[in-house]
Amino acid sequence: SVMVQEFHVVRCFSCESFQVQQVKKVNRWSCKVCGERQSLLKEFGRGSGADCRRHVQKLNATRGLSALTVGRRNRLR
């Protein structure tokens, strides 16, 4: 039988970026952006590497747009 590698989508508690991590037995991971070590508390998706990467791009793009919207709203006050 062929072992298919599984990935999941996680979010860093510190920099709040979404990223793809390989599913492991250990429930700890390091953020690729800020390097913060952390426990896996919530999974935002699971599947193949390609599927997870697409999902992460969508989540991070949405996060960037909402940050821009909040910034614009604050300037208008």
Side-chain angles (χ1 to χ4, degrees):
S1 83
V2 176
M3 183 80 178
V4 176
Q5 190 56 60
E6 210 171 14
F7 295 87
H8 49 192
V9 177
V10 293
R11 184 179 191 186
C12 176
F13 78 91
S14 180
C15 68
E16 297 184 343
S17 70
F18 290 96
Q19 51 201 276
V20 179
Q21 291 282 337
Q22 204 170 334
V23 174
K24 300 186 201 100
K25 288 186 174 95
V26 181
N27 243 11
R28 299 198 41 85
W29 61 282
S30 289
C31 177
K32 293 172 185 146
V33 178
C34 70
E36 199 70 55
R37 294 263 313 139
Q38 52 205 299
S39 298
L40 178 66
L41 297 178
K42 186 174 178 184
E43 199 176 87
F44 293 84
R46 185 182 277 238
S48 72
D51 289 343
C52 287
R53 283 191 297 277
R54 276 192 294 274
H55 193 50
V56 161
Q57 285 177 336
K58 189 173 69 178
L59 289 169
N60 282 328
T62 305
R63 186 175 130 250
L65 285 175
S66 64
L68 283 174
T69 307
V70 168
R72 197 173 295 132
R73 250 190 250 128
N74 289 340
R75 279 197 305 271
L76 293 174
R77 289 185 183 155

